[in-house]
Amino acid sequence: MADNYVTKEYLDQSLEGLEERIDAKMETLGNKLMEFARDLQSELLRGFEGFTRRVDVRLANLEVNGANDTLALKQRLAEVETRLLEIEKKLLQRPPAA
């Protein structure tokens, strides 16, 4: 009759194999998360680029059409600077991955 017991060597080998599989899965997951973070960052930058283009056009129109309306221009510029400061604060709190 065959013995149906587990040896320490068998358990050690099984655990070692399991650890290797877990490590591989964790590395794969980490790589996928890094790719996701980079894609998200790229999407955000593209979105902000479109926004800043629109703001630039508005500012140019103000300069051309409203040379006397410097207060409106200053207010818009202050708003853009405030938004930029908020973005910079967020980036400093969570620097992008290298």
Side-chain angles (χ1 to χ4, degrees):
M1 190 188 278
D3 293 331
N4 291 331
Y5 58 91
V6 177
T7 64
K8 182 178 181 321
E9 291 90 22
Y10 176 78
L11 284 176
D12 288 341
Q13 289 174 351
S14 296
L15 285 176
E16 186 176 311
L18 182 60
E19 286 174 353
E20 290 173 1
R21 288 185 7 225
I22 289 173
D23 288 343
K25 293 282 185 181
M26 291 296 290
E27 185 175 345
T28 300
L29 179 61
N31 291 338
K32 286 181 180 181
L33 284 174
M34 288 297 292
E35 182 180 344
F36 174 77
R38 287 187 184 116
D39 289 346
L40 181 60
Q41 182 181 19
S42 297
E43 288 296 320
L44 286 171
L45 290 173
R46 279 195 285 273
F48 285 124
E49 181 184 11
F51 171 77
T52 56
R53 283 187 191 153
R54 289 190 300 272
V55 169
D56 287 344
V57 168
R58 288 180 181 172
L59 289 174
N61 285 337
L62 280 175
E63 289 175 0
V64 170
N65 297 330
N68 296 331
D69 198 2
T70 57
L71 179 60
L73 178 62
K74 287 180 181 180
Q75 288 173 340
R76 285 190 176 275
L77 184 57
E79 182 63 29
V80 170
E81 289 173 343
T82 302
R83 290 179 181 178
L84 180 61
L85 181 62
E86 292 300 318
I87 292 168
E88 290 173 342
K89 284 181 188 177
K90 288 179 183 179
L91 287 176
L92 288 175
Q93 289 173 357
R94 265 187 327 175

